[in-house]
């Protein structure tokens, strides 16, 4: 991909850190800013797809699995849902069928290549310049699917659940993985660590910031916006809508509005 379209991946190989919530609501707020946005779900759990899609993902004729198996853009247009639960946001969905391709050597075997991380980049190349933003959700690992996401991306965000030791530990192997990907995608840049489920009054959350600043120093910037803790996150997912559609004036919805504006200025 060139730089006509900003491609942003959310990654952290620990689960429950807010990747899906970040992708869904950042997409919604960028669309609210008038940007054209498509979300690609690369997580076999398919939570992003279940949230955004108006069709049960398992009933779709084409998903990201089909695109990666084919390895070309031939089925790309058939895989895009333009009408979704999030106004202005298109989707390429995932299902559990993606689990088969998550095996480290499967894509390399199918395509007889020693560069299995490069397949998604080839598949979505025609989207360059069509959308302002492509946002990619990934699963809780640093395997071949996350590698494909990052090799296709211009930027990445690392959601970290505030106060969670396990979420912070998810940063441990990321720098080395990023360094490996940057050998073939030198344009990849960090937007930074995004604190989710944040509560300033919690000592653990303040400590989490201190720990990451100490561990990462200047290698991994910290996004200067926290996604505040709120039960509305679960309600929005249950109702398959964005936080701003659920309650536009809620603190957590405003957090994502600020994040979208910050992203616009920093990509």
């Amino acid at each position: 991909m060139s730089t006509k379209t900003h491609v942003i991946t959310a990654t952290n190989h620990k689960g429950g850190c807010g990747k899906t919530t970040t992708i869904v609501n950042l997409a919604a707020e960028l669309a609210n800013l008038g940007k054209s946005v498509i979300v690609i779900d690369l997580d076999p759990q398919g939570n992003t797809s279940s949230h955004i899609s108006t069709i049960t993902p398992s009933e779709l004729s084409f998903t990201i699995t089909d695109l990666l198996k084919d390895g070309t853009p031939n089925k790309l247009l058939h895989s895009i849902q333009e009408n979704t639960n999030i106004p202005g946001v298109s989707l390429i969905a995932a299902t559990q069928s993606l689990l088969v391709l998550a095996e480290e050597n499967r894509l390399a075997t199918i395509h007889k290549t020693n560069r299995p991380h490069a397949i998604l980049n080839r598949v979505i190349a025609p989207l360059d310049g069509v959308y302002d933003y492509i946002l990619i959700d990934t699963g809780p690992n640093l395997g071949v699917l996350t590698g494909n996401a990052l090799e296709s991306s211009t930027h990445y965000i690392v959601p970290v659940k505030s106060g969670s030791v396990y979420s912070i530990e998810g940063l441990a192997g990321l720098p080395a993985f990023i360094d490996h990907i940057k050998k073939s995608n030198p344009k990849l840049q960090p937007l930074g660590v995004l604190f989710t489920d944040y509560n300033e009054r919690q000592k653990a959350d303040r400590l989490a910031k201190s720990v990451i600043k100490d561990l990462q120093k200047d290698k991994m910037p910290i996004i200067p916006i926290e996604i505040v803790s709120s039960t509305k996150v679960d309600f929005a997912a249950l109702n398959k809508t964005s936080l701003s559609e659920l309650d536009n004036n809620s603190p957590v919805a405003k957090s994502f509005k600020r994040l979208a504006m910050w992203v616009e200025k920093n990509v």
Side-chain angles (χ1 to χ4, degrees):
M1 300 287 284
S2 75
T3 55
K4 294 178 183 178
T5 294
H6 305 297
V7 187
I8 303 173
T9 286
T11 182
N12 185 328
H13 64 282
K14 294 294 182 179
C17 58
K19 292 190 294 292
T20 295
T21 299
T22 297
I23 289 295
V24 169
N25 288 283
L26 177 57
E29 296 307 328
L30 287 169
N32 286 339
L33 291 175
K35 303 302 174 181
S36 55
V37 183
I38 185 168
V39 169
I40 299 176
D41 194 353
L42 268 185
D43 183 355
Q45 296 179 71
N47 291 333
T48 294
S49 299
S50 296
H51 192 144
I52 296 178
S53 180
T54 58
I55 303 169
T56 302
S58 61
E59 297 177 355
L60 293 169
S61 299
F62 296 97
T63 67
I64 191 63
T65 302
D66 301 292
L67 295 181
L68 291 175
K69 281 183 177 178
D70 186 69
T72 74
N74 291 340
K75 301 177 181 178
L76 182 60
L77 291 180
H78 300 290
S79 304
I80 297 173
Q81 297 178 62
E82 294 183 349
N83 298 314
T84 68
N85 291 321
I86 310 296
V89 176
S90 300
L91 171 70
I92 298 176
T95 65
Q96 288 190 346
S97 65
L98 195 56
L99 279 170
V100 176
L101 300 186
E103 298 175 17
E104 197 62 34
N105 294 322
R106 186 59 61 93
L107 278 174
T109 301
I110 290 173
H111 296 290
K112 298 178 180 179
T113 178
N114 59 1
R115 291 193 60 209
H117 289 170
I119 294 166
L120 180 66
N121 193 36
R122 183 167 66 244
V123 167
I124 65 173
L127 300 182
D128 187 28
V130 176
Y131 294 92
D132 295 314
Y133 287 91
I134 298 173
L135 304 185
I136 306 178
D137 192 16
T138 61
N141 60 73
L142 293 179
V144 68
L145 296 179
T146 299
N148 267 271
L150 290 169
E151 184 145 335
S152 303
S153 295
T154 55
H155 300 84
Y156 61 96
I157 291 176
V158 187
V160 168
K161 184 176 181 180
S162 299
S164 168
V165 173
Y166 300 113
S167 188
I168 293 171
E169 286 177 349
L171 297 176
L174 186 58
F177 190 73
I178 294 291
D179 287 344
H180 173 69
I181 296 297
K182 288 190 74 170
K183 291 177 182 177
S184 51
N185 179 17
K187 67 179 180 292
L188 181 64
Q189 297 295 325
L191 282 172
V193 172
L194 176 69
F195 285 93
T196 64
D197 201 22
Y198 185 79
N199 187 337
E200 181 65 41
R201 291 172 294 181
Q202 295 292 329
K203 183 177 180 181
D205 286 5
R206 297 195 303 272
L207 179 61
K209 275 193 167 183
S210 175
V211 168
I212 288 185
K213 283 181 179 177
D214 185 53
L215 286 176
Q216 298 299 316
K217 296 186 172 28
D218 295 329
K219 293 182 180 180
M220 180 72 70
I222 294 176
I223 294 174
I225 293 155
E226 298 87 19
I227 305 302
V228 299
S229 179
S230 175
T231 57
K232 292 183 185 293
V233 169
D234 292 329
F235 279 110
L238 183 64
N239 288 281
K240 298 188 176 183
T241 190
S242 66
L243 285 159
S244 59
E245 286 289 322
L246 182 73
D247 184 351
N248 191 48
N249 292 314
S250 66
V252 67
K254 290 179 178 179
S255 294
F256 278 107
K257 291 179 191 297
R258 290 194 296 272
L259 177 63
M261 289 187 287
W262 183 88
V263 167
E264 265 281 85
K265 292 179 181 178
N266 288 275
V267 292

